Each structure stands twice: as structure tokens, then as C-alpha cells.
Amino acid sequence: MLKRIVTCLLSASTLCLGAASAEDACDQTCKSRLIDQYLHALVTSAPDEAPLAESYRATENQHEIAPGEGLWTSATGFGPMQRRFFDEATGNAAFYGLVYEADGPALLSLRLSFDGQDITESEAIIARDFEPLYNPVAAIKEAPDFTNPADLSGLTREMMTTTADKYFDGLRDNTGEGIPKVDGCKRIENGTRVTNRRPGSGDHADEVRSGDCTSGFENFTSIAEIAHRRYPVADTEAGVVMGVGLFQRPPGAVGRDGNPRKRNLIHEYFRTDAEGRITEIFAVMRYIEADEPNATGWE
């Protein structure tokens, strides 16, 4: 399993590249090499060196970008926390980790799609230091640990996506009842743990909760719907499913500052056990402005 969850430190001088097979078929080892090439091209501002298909399309924080824009101009390297996940059914891959920019580290969630040995789609959410709960130091500490992988035989894609969908339903319906999870499951948002915490423990938490990942849902009255839901990556060997969505607000919802409550564009990674129960969630999210699209960018 650990061969499929690769930690690779990338910089202009340190690479983990490999020559892809000449065949059109691309297995997970091949895709991992393509991801290496893609990330290296990002930090060297060299889109011509990335394995991009002619039909390549990319978004960052829901906005479409062309090769050479966005992270292509700002990324300078990748940090010590990196995780990769692969979906045999869809052929997609996901990257969750730290990216360095001139202004400091940012949290990056990236979904990639492939056609043979070409990357056809790139969907990124980037959380920077002005986003709520942003904490790159804590993100390293709280990163999912796959050192001692559990036996996940019997776990299916359907089990994982059903669990993730029930979680989103629970957020919408203000109830944690019926969500498959283990006691003490944790939730990490933009690097910060927001569950199983003591009051006053700090770490920039917006609200400190002493319960687990389904506690306090009755208080989440500012979520009307998780719209545009998708589950593009479900890695049954890692036990991780990636959920994509947009948190919609009910009419008139306001934040603590008295201003209209902003919508959340979010990538949530649900880690489950062999029975499809949530053990931890790590999310990368960005608040979007009122004049930004009511979409994830891939509808």
C-alpha cells in the first residue's frame, strides 16, 4: 500500500522523476511519475515540460487558468507533508500537501485526470495565510499517517463514497446521527484540528469543539446544502475518498462579524476503516466572495 502513497520532496534541484513507459497504458507507478513531472514543472515555471494533453484544462480555487498562470508563476517548491491517492475505477489521482510560494507555505489539494500518459485535468484548491484556520505547521503535525497500514480488505469505493455523502447530508441536516464513524474521529481544516480539543488550546480555531468529527452538527445552521458534490478519487487501499463540494448558505445567514456568511469551496479527504467508518477528515477550503461563481469550476 505504501508504494501508492508517495512522499517526495521536490525542488529545482531535487527530483524524483522517472521515464514513463512508451506504452499508452499508465498504471499507478506511471501516474506517480507524471505527477512528479507536473509538480516539477510547476515549481520551475515550465509548463512546456509538463505532460499536458492538448485538451488540458485547469482550475485554481474554481477559476480557470491557462498553463503558465496561477501556481505556475507562484510555486517555488513543495514541503515535507505530501500525500497521494489513486482511484483504480476513475483513473484519477489526488495530491494533498504543502506548496511553497514567495509569501510562504500554502496548503494544496489537487485532483488530476489522465489520458494515457497525458494529464488532461487539474483541479486545485489552495489555502493561504488569509484563509480561516490556516496553519501549515499544524498541517504537518496532523498529516494522515500511513506508517502502519490497516487491513482494508473488503472496503469498496461504494462504501467510502456512501459514507462521505452521509457526512455531507448530516452537515446539511444538522445531525450527526447515522454517519458511519469511529468514536473520536478527528477533523482537520486548513491544517487546524477542530475536534477533540480542550477549550483555550489555541491554534487559531474558529470554534473549539471537545467532541469528534460528528459532534455539534445541531449547531451548524449556516449550511443550507453541500452543492455540486463529487467523489473523483476513492483509494480503497489507503481508505481515503476525496469529496468536492460548495457549502451553500441559507438566505440571510451572517457571520460573527455581522457580514453575510461566505460560501465554502472545499476538498474533503475522508479516511475510513475497513467497514467504511470515518476515522479522520482533512480538508482544504477557501471562502469565496459574493461575486464569485456558485460553482466548483467543473459542473
Side-chain angles (χ1 to χ4, degrees):
M1 168 187 154
L2 292 180
K3 292 180 180 178
R4 301 177 53 200
I5 304 170
V6 183
T7 300
C8 175
L9 304 183
L10 298 173
S11 69
S13 60
T14 305
L15 312 181
C16 55
L17 306 180
S21 166
E23 300 176 358
D24 288 338
C26 192
D27 60 12
Q28 289 166 11
T29 300
C30 168
K31 287 175 182 174
S32 190
R33 289 195 294 261
L34 296 180
I35 294 171
D36 289 342
Q37 294 171 13
Y38 184 81
L39 297 180
H40 175 64
L42 275 178
V43 301
T44 55
S45 304
D48 289 344
E49 296 181 9
L52 305 182
E54 290 186 9
S55 61
Y56 170 79
R57 178 174 180 261
T59 60
E60 290 183 11
N61 292 343
Q62 77 176 184
H63 297 286
E64 190 159 348
I65 63 163
E69 299 176 346
L71 279 176
W72 296 97
T73 64
S74 63
T76 59
F78 288 86
M81 191 277 288
Q82 298 181 40
R83 302 292 185 269
R84 299 181 186 187
F85 307 102
F86 300 89
D87 189 323
E88 294 182 359
T90 65
N92 293 330
F95 172 93
Y96 168 77
L98 289 176
V99 57
Y100 291 124
E101 300 177 293
D103 294 334
L107 276 168
L108 171 65
S109 174
L110 181 67
R111 188 266 304 170
L112 294 173
S113 293
F114 305 84
D115 180 8
Q117 296 179 35
D118 292 329
I119 293 174
T120 58
E121 296 178 350
S122 171
E123 177 182 10
I125 293 182
I126 308 157
R128 298 181 171 95
D129 62 359
F130 48 81
E131 295 293 345
L133 303 174
Y134 165 85
N135 192 329
V137 174
I140 297 172
K141 177 183 177 182
E142 299 286 359
D145 183 5
F146 295 94
T147 304
N148 298 304
D151 179 7
L152 298 178
S153 56
L155 182 64
T156 67
R157 189 180 204 282
E158 182 179 5
M159 291 167 63
M160 298 165 69
T161 58
T162 297
T163 292
D165 214 42
K166 287 183 177 180
Y167 189 88
F168 282 152
D169 284 346
L171 286 174
R172 178 197 62 201
D173 299 336
N174 312 129
T175 177
E177 295 296 324
I179 299 174
K181 57 94 178 183
V182 300
D183 291 340
C185 58
K186 70 177 183 178
R187 179 179 175 87
I188 311 300
E189 297 181 1
N190 284 350
T192 297
R193 180 196 285 257
V194 295
T195 53
N196 308 305
R197 296 163 52 92
R198 292 180 297 103
S201 55
D203 291 340
H204 313 293
D206 182 50
E207 56 183 62
V208 177
R209 300 207 305 270
S210 60
D212 65 15
C213 69
T214 62
S215 298
F217 276 25
E218 64 275 8
N219 299 318
F220 293 174
T221 57
S222 63
I223 302 173
E225 180 59 274
I226 294 84
H228 311 302
R229 300 184 203 180
R230 289 178 286 119
Y231 305 100
V233 179
D235 188 327
T236 54
E237 289 193 18
V240 173
V241 56
M242 176 192 199
V244 181
L246 184 69
F247 284 24
Q248 306 276 30
R249 305 302 182 186
V254 296
R256 294 179 179 179
D257 58 3
N259 292 319
R261 190 92 178 194
K262 295 181 180 180
R263 295 160 293 159
N264 269 26
L265 178 66
I266 195 161
H267 284 180
E268 299 221 10
Y269 293 84
F270 299 88
R271 188 177 185 182
T272 73
D273 64 9
E275 298 177 34
R277 301 177 301 176
I278 298 170
T279 61
E280 60 182 329
I281 303 167
F282 36 108
V284 179
M285 61 184 186
R286 173 182 178 265
Y287 283 100
I288 61 176
E289 302 297 333
D291 60 350
E292 292 185 287
N294 192 40
T296 66
W298 293 90
E299 287 69 29

